[in-house]
Amino acid sequence: MRVSSTPLASLLVGFAAILPTTLAVFQDEAFQNDWHIPLLGPSLRESTFFHRPLLDAKASLIYTLTERNIIAALHPKDGGIVWRHQLEACASKKLARAVEGVVVAGSCGNVKAFDAVTGKLAWENRFEGGNVKDFKSAGKEDAVVVLFDDGSVRMLEGGSGIVMWEWKGLDAKDTPYSISVTSDSVLVVSVQPEKTSNNMHITSLVLESGLPAKFSRDLRSSVESVDNILSSDALMAWTEDDFRILKMVPISGGRLSGENVKIPEGVIDIEVHTDSDNVALVHYKTADKSWGTAYRWDYEYGPVMSYLDIEEKPGADSTFSISKSGGQTFFVWSFANGEAFLYGEQGQLAEYSPKFEYKGNHITNAASEVITRSDGASYAVRSFISTSAPGFKGNTHLVRNGDLEWARKESLASVSVSTFAELLDPAAEKVANELNAEGHKSIGAAYVHRLTRHVQELIEYGPAWVSGIPVRVMDAFLNKEKAEIGGKWRDFFGYRKYAIVATEEGGLAALDIGKKGEIAWESNVLPIEGEWKGALGVYEVSKGVVAVVTKGGEYLEFDAFEGTMLHREKIPGCGTIKSSSTVDGIGRKLVLAVLKCGKVMVLPSGSPLPETVFLAVQDDAGHAKGLKVASSGKPEQTWVFNPPTGEQIASISTRPAHDPIASIGKVLGDRSVMYKYINPHLISIVTADPNGSTASIHLLDSVSGAVLHSATHTGVDTSKPIVSTVSENWVVYSYYGDDTIPGKTAAKGYHLVVSEIFESEQKNDRGPLGGAQNYSALAGETGEPFVLSQSFIFPGEITSLATTTTRQGITSHEILALLPEYSSILGLPKRMLDPRRPVGRDANPGEVEEGLVKYFPVIDADPRGMLNHKRELVGIKKIVTTPALLESTSLVFAYGGDLFGTRVTPSMAFDVLAKGFSKIQLVGTIVALGVGVGFVAPMVRRKQINQRWSNS
């Protein structure tokens, strides 16, 4: 009687399906092979400050809200992130303020309060119709008063965020600008547009009730633009008369009287810094020097008066910051050369000579904390300084008494494109030079040269190699770490590569992904003339050379190991560049740039194409079309793809540049073969119809434009991401289905769909083109492939998809999904998404042997499959992969916010010993077996001899 083993086999296969992902959570491997650089982005001046999280706290934290909508608390000691949160993104103003025990942030129409110590959400209130324009602490019970850009003012109760009162009495012609809160009033500042200038209006509200007070009047001004308003806190400051007059008016008093200051000749910039009290500092800058003047005023009726003149110093690249401590107001003046000065009411209190430089960075803003020491005559000064350099914006530094304590590369939060640069093998490079020399000699001379070289190497390296054998053997047995390889030389397994990244501001940098993202060099690709429009693509075009194509129409080449510029040219043509790609040239790769007018340029200019190239691009009309580019570089349109009626192209995906295929067929459990439809020109086009709530996926041959497969999905929420990835003979894509759309059928939730393409539906059949010796895609000879598809429900939104790549393509693939709701990257084994998984029944023995398990319509976001373990990834937009030298290993790099890198082994590390493998135990076991055999062998021999005598 035969007992079926299907349930047990299914269980084993199910365990095997999750085994590669569970390996990532072993305690000794977590955080060893992966690295993470958490980033915040450029800090906002008005929303960056030192603050003690509790009244009895002995130390302050640094709180900042950044341009990338991240609010965070940093530890001043080392710059580590204590906590951070991603806020909603919109074009409105973003603000953060410290209130007792919490930090309140306003973004879009939302007001949130976070616990100052832990970062946990204390309360939140969302408002429709208007975005937050300004808000201030009400000064009691942790309440805040919020001004919205629709003119409404609301007072929110501390601890709950409940609206205590609301006022909507602002004149329709007024534009709300800011608010100021006193002990009993809320002062609303609005701008009244006039024909040639703008007037300002002050509306006073009773703090307790929100009712209009008697004090409401116009503030006479001639502000040409709201950009001329330099301060809008307790002191309103603006420039008039074409930057000739600086006007300052305190708005918290009983009358609107102020000070008119004539701006000195040569001043090109003015900054006004105010504290929460009645002190302000005006910072003047010329082309080569700067100085400051401090003012104070009486809240009741006193005028604005200057009380401290800070003498001018050379260097306009500087900034002031204000700190209050022990009832005193301090001013910290920081310069880009590292020099700093401390001022109080008595004048200069301390000077800190330059001990470092910001290396080409310009100071953009600063926040400081000054503490008077116990002797009363010395001070502890800490400054959190943001800087900007060409191409890199927002790097931050902590300076303590003139010494640089730490720095954060926040500018890398805006990485937009990247590529990988292979490092060099030192031994191979030397041999390559020698072989190149031999190649230019005759056979006899080359033989003599090689023989001589081998003898010289034996003499030079032989003795050291022999004498080093014991040390190498002992190091191998003890698993001793090898000396770290640096510079442009790769390691033994190829884990070290450079990720060449370009920022949105025009910076170019090389990150060593084998050294946890260490920066190897920095440069920039900003245009010499004209406006910067962004980087379109970064490519490795030859060994040690990377190329950058900019949207503004420039082509640049850099040394990948040093960062020096090798070549630069302006791309002639018509307008900006729409897209770019690489093709194989003679001894290097060439870049094809498609201009806005449809012209195709071969870069570097003058480089001939060795063969005809076919491209797929999207035109301005929203159609995809194919271009045939001959050796002359002149494009010829070959096909046009028109999306279905009402739909528009959402994205176009192509196979990875490195996508080797180790097998042309899939071997089934019964030893038959289903042949893969392998097409190097396979592309995926996603189209969507927002009005009809439909989305379609189209697989095309980019040479002929033939549609190989199409699928349309109804009930799709097109406002959510629709992403896809293509590799080998399959495509995986994700979308959101909404069952509430009238007349549309859909399973509610995020769908993950896989489609796999075969040459034929029949086993062991190569399809209609299987027997053809030659065929042409241009002639429409693409065959009729067979497509298998399967859909799964996924628990969260996917904003980016990628697939692992290995050196030879032997290792099975893993799908990498970026999950912003989980702040993670999930690795899904491709066999989990196999469309041949049996539906409605258990897998039979043959299917079990293939690794198939019963189809289940839901795929969980298993925490064991998260590549980042416990780390929180924020803001990441794209995932890219590259193979290591080991076939089992794929390197992963993610960017767009945080930077993250890791190594994954989808089929486990089958070609390298585990880190914990004990060579001593192995040798000991062999020795023990040898000794045992030595003892047992004579006994066995004696027994055999005695047995023969007995038998005779």
Side-chain angles (χ1 to χ4, degrees):
M1 179 179 178
R2 180 180 179 183
V3 180
S4 173
S5 60
T6 299
L8 176 60
S10 299
L11 179 63
L12 293 176
V13 171
F15 174 76
I18 65 172
L19 183 59
T21 58
T22 59
L23 292 179
V25 299
F26 286 163
Q27 188 173 0
D28 61 338
E29 292 186 0
F31 315 121
Q32 299 297 320
N33 298 333
D34 54 316
W35 53 272
H36 176 219
I37 302 178
L39 297 172
L40 307 175
S43 296
L44 298 173
R45 178 192 294 271
E46 297 181 358
S47 301
T48 301
F49 46 86
F50 284 83
H51 175 62
R52 293 191 179 186
L54 298 173
L55 284 177
D56 57 351
K58 296 182 179 180
S60 301
L61 296 178
I62 303 171
Y63 296 92
T64 182
L65 179 60
T66 69
E67 294 181 6
R68 301 187 71 84
N69 305 297
I70 296 177
I71 184 170
L74 301 177
H75 201 295
K77 183 178 180 180
D78 56 8
I81 297 177
V82 180
W83 56 262
R84 62 175 174 166
H85 293 285
Q86 179 80 57
L87 303 180
E88 295 79 4
C90 60
S92 65
K93 188 176 182 180
K94 299 175 285 290
L95 290 170
R97 300 274 191 266
V99 185
E100 186 63 37
V102 297
V103 176
V104 182
S107 178
C108 303
N110 305 330
V111 183
K112 297 182 178 181
F114 301 95
D115 186 283
V117 178
T118 64
K120 293 182 178 179
L121 184 65
W123 54 262
E124 176 183 9
N125 206 333
R126 296 174 177 266
F127 300 95
E128 300 293 337
N131 294 324
V132 175
K133 185 71 176 179
D134 192 13
F135 69 90
K136 298 286 173 36
S137 170
K140 56 181 180 179
E141 298 180 356
D142 308 336
V144 293
V145 182
V146 187
L147 172 67
F148 294 84
D149 58 11
D150 61 356
S152 60
V153 180
R154 298 179 178 93
M155 184 171 178
L156 306 183
E157 183 182 30
S160 63
I162 297 174
V163 178
M164 301 175 65
W165 55 257
E166 181 179 24
W167 177 78
K168 293 186 176 181
L170 192 65
D171 195 305
K173 67 179 181 180
D174 287 5
T175 301
Y177 190 80
S178 66
I179 60 171
S180 180
V181 179
T182 67
S183 59
D184 57 359
S185 301
V186 177
L187 304 176
V188 182
V189 180
S190 58
V191 179
Q192 299 174 337
E194 301 291 342
K195 292 182 179 180
T196 58
S197 62
N198 297 277
N199 287 325
M200 284 181 280
H201 184 75
I202 310 296
T203 303
S204 178
L205 306 175
V206 179
L207 179 61
E208 292 292 336
S209 62
L211 297 175
K214 294 181 180 180
F215 176 68
S216 293
R217 63 189 72 179
D218 290 330
L219 180 59
R220 294 182 180 180
S221 64
S222 299
V223 184
E224 291 88 353
S225 169
V226 292
D227 295 333
N228 291 18
I229 301 177
L230 305 179
S231 174
S232 61
D233 205 344
L235 178 77
M236 290 295 301
W238 66 91
T239 60
E240 294 183 354
D241 196 17
D242 293 330
F243 208 68
R244 294 187 180 93
I245 298 296
L246 172 65
K247 193 166 185 176
M248 295 178 288
V249 178
I251 62 173
S252 301
R255 64 181 182 181
L256 296 177
S257 61
E259 180 79 7
N260 291 339
V261 179
K262 184 179 179 180
I263 299 175
E265 293 291 334
V267 173
I268 58 177
D269 189 23
I270 297 177
E271 294 177 354
V272 178
H273 304 268
T274 61
D275 66 356
S276 57
D277 207 342
N278 59 337
V279 174
L281 184 136
V282 180
H283 184 196
Y284 299 95
K285 297 181 182 180
T286 66
D288 57 355
K289 60 184 178 181
S290 59
W291 65 94
T293 302
Y295 295 87
R296 65 158 55 101
W297 61 92
D298 184 83
Y299 269 125
E300 292 300 327
Y301 299 101
V304 178
M305 300 180 62
S306 64
Y307 73 94
L308 176 64
D309 291 322
I310 300 176
E311 62 181 8
E312 66 181 33
K313 296 185 183 297
D317 192 1
S318 64
T319 190
F320 277 94
S321 51
I322 299 180
S323 175
K324 292 185 69 66
S325 176
Q328 300 184 62
T329 301
F330 298 94
F331 306 104
V332 181
W333 195 5
S334 303
F335 284 79
N337 63 354
E339 195 174 18
F341 302 89
L342 175 64
Y343 295 89
E345 293 187 3
Q346 305 84 3
Q348 182 173 318
L349 303 176
E351 176 181 351
Y352 305 99
S353 59
K355 300 178 183 178
F356 66 95
E357 291 186 6
Y358 290 103
K359 298 181 180 179
N361 286 266
H362 304 287
I363 292 182
T364 56
N365 60 77
S368 298
E369 181 185 52
V370 180
I371 299 177
T372 304
R373 292 195 173 104
S374 57
D375 59 7
S378 59
Y379 306 89
V381 181
R382 294 189 297 190
S383 296
F384 180 70
I385 297 175
S386 295
T387 62
S388 177
F392 299 93
K393 180 183 179 182
N395 292 331
T396 56
H397 316 259
L398 195 285
V399 180
R400 183 177 180 271
N401 294 336
D403 293 322
L404 180 64
E405 295 290 305
W406 48 262
R408 293 177 56 88
K409 288 289 185 179
E410 300 295 350
S411 58
L412 296 180
S414 64
V415 171
S416 57
V417 291
S418 73
T419 192
F420 290 101
E422 298 284 346
L423 300 181
L424 305 179
D425 183 349
E429 288 301 308
K430 185 173 182 180
V431 172
N433 293 333
E434 296 290 347
L435 293 178
N436 183 55
E438 294 174 5
H440 293 80
K441 297 181 179 181
S442 63
I443 296 177
Y447 177 78
V448 172
H449 180 277
R450 179 166 298 190
L451 182 62
T452 304
R453 176 168 61 86
H454 287 172
V455 172
Q456 291 176 346
E457 290 176 348
L458 185 61
I459 296 173
E460 182 178 358
Y461 303 113
W465 184 85
V466 173
S467 62
I469 290 178
V471 176
R472 293 196 302 273
V473 171
M474 288 302 298
D475 289 347
F477 276 110
L478 298 176
N479 288 329
K480 188 175 181 180
E481 295 287 342
K482 294 184 179 180
E484 190 177 72
I485 299 177
K488 61 182 179 181
W489 310 112
R490 74 185 184 195
D491 59 333
F492 187 73
F493 294 129
Y495 295 151
R496 282 194 67 219
K497 291 188 180 185
Y498 280 175
I500 312 298
V501 299
T503 67
E504 295 175 356
E505 292 77 26
L508 190 69
L511 307 180
D512 190 336
I513 62 175
K515 293 185 176 181
K516 300 187 181 299
E518 177 183 309
I519 298 177
W521 53 261
E522 292 181 346
S523 185
N524 74 81
V525 291
L526 295 174
I528 299 176
E529 296 179 355
E531 180 184 358
W532 167 250
K533 298 181 180 179
L536 190 64
V538 181
Y539 309 99
E540 184 185 32
V541 293
S542 64
K543 183 186 296 184
V545 178
V546 293
V548 182
V549 179
T550 70
K551 296 178 182 178
E554 280 196 310
Y555 175 79
L556 307 93
E557 290 185 355
F558 288 83
D559 185 311
F561 309 133
E562 304 294 336
T564 55
M565 186 183 297
L566 306 176
H567 175 74
R568 183 172 199 158
E569 66 174 276
K570 183 70 175 179
I571 302 174
C574 41
T576 58
I577 302 177
K578 292 189 60 178
S579 63
S580 60
S581 59
T582 59
V583 296
D584 291 330
I586 301 175
R588 57 163 292 160
K589 288 184 179 294
L590 303 175
V591 176
L592 295 182
V594 180
L595 305 184
K596 189 174 182 180
C597 61
K599 187 177 180 181
V600 178
M601 296 295 300
V602 182
L603 304 171
S605 297
S607 302
L609 283 175
E611 59 183 12
T612 301
V613 176
F614 297 91
L615 301 175
V617 298
Q618 185 177 355
D619 59 21
D620 294 334
H623 303 149
K625 62 182 181 180
L627 298 179
K628 176 182 177 182
V629 185
S631 57
S632 62
K634 184 178 180 180
E636 175 186 347
Q637 181 173 309
T638 55
W639 55 266
V640 175
F641 172 78
N642 297 317
T645 303
E647 294 190 357
Q648 299 177 346
I649 294 179
S651 64
I652 299 178
S653 304
T654 61
R655 288 178 57 183
H658 179 82
D659 190 24
I661 299 176
S663 174
I664 64 172
K666 175 180 287 188
V667 180
L668 308 184
D670 59 1
R671 301 301 182 266
S672 61
V673 177
M674 289 194 69
Y675 289 98
K676 303 176 183 177
Y677 183 85
I678 300 173
N679 187 340
H681 307 290
L682 183 67
I683 64 172
S684 166
I685 299 179
V686 176
T687 60
D689 180 7
N691 297 323
S693 300
T694 61
S696 303
I697 185 81
H698 311 274
L699 299 180
L700 277 73
D701 181 287
S702 63
V703 173
S704 64
V707 179
L708 306 175
H709 170 70
S710 290
T712 300
H713 304 278
T714 60
V716 177
D717 185 350
T718 58
S719 65
K720 298 184 182 298
I722 304 175
V723 295
S724 66
T725 184
V726 183
S727 180
E728 286 197 2
N729 67 318
W730 48 264
V731 58
V732 175
Y733 57 98
S734 172
Y735 66 92
Y736 182 77
D738 192 349
D739 60 356
T740 63
I741 299 177
K744 304 294 182 180
T745 57
K748 189 176 184 64
Y750 292 96
H751 294 233
L752 190 61
V753 185
V754 57
S755 295
E756 198 158 348
I757 314 173
F758 299 95
E759 292 187 354
S760 173
E761 184 178 1
Q762 306 299 324
K763 302 176 183 178
N764 301 322
D765 183 15
R766 295 301 305 269
L769 299 178
Q773 295 294 327
N774 297 291
Y775 62 90
S776 172
L778 286 175
E781 298 174 348
T782 57
E784 295 181 3
F786 170 66
V787 180
L788 278 175
S789 298
Q790 211 167 56
S791 178
F792 303 86
I793 294 294
F794 196 75
E797 180 181 77
I798 300 176
T799 56
S800 181
L801 284 170
T803 179
T804 56
T805 57
T806 56
R807 193 171 181 84
Q808 303 295 335
I810 299 172
T811 304
S812 59
H813 285 270
E814 191 166 88
I815 310 300
L816 307 180
L818 180 59
L819 311 177
E821 295 179 9
Y822 296 84
S823 300
S824 299
I825 297 175
L826 177 66
L828 293 170
K830 172 59 175 61
R831 59 178 171 272
M832 290 182 63
L833 302 178
D834 196 317
R836 296 186 61 253
R837 288 175 58 177
V839 179
R841 60 176 177 83
D842 292 329
N844 58 44
E847 292 170 333
V848 169
E849 189 174 348
E850 294 180 48
L852 300 178
V853 294
K854 181 179 178 180
Y855 169 76
F856 190 70
V858 177
I859 292 181
D860 291 328
D862 193 336
R864 294 171 295 180
M866 302 298 182
L867 303 187
N868 48 301
H869 311 300
K870 294 182 180 180
R871 290 174 170 140
E872 182 183 31
L873 307 183
V874 176
I876 288 180
K877 298 178 180 177
K878 191 171 183 180
I879 309 169
V880 291
T881 62
T882 185
L885 290 181
L886 293 176
E887 170 57 28
S888 65
T889 307
S890 180
L891 308 179
V892 180
F893 175 53
Y895 60 87
D898 289 357
L899 300 177
F900 174 75
T902 188
R903 305 197 299 260
V904 295
T905 53
S907 298
M908 296 183 288
F910 56 80
D911 49 5
V912 64
L913 292 176
K915 186 177 181 179
F917 183 83
S918 177
K919 301 181 181 68
I920 296 178
Q921 184 178 358
L922 174 63
V923 173
T925 302
I926 295 175
V927 171
L929 290 174
V931 173
V933 170
F935 278 106
V936 174
M939 298 171 59
V940 173
R941 191 180 304 111
R942 186 178 302 107
K943 182 177 181 180
Q944 290 176 342
I945 294 174
N946 292 337
Q947 184 69 30
R948 290 181 181 180
W949 279 105
S950 299
N951 293 336
S952 62

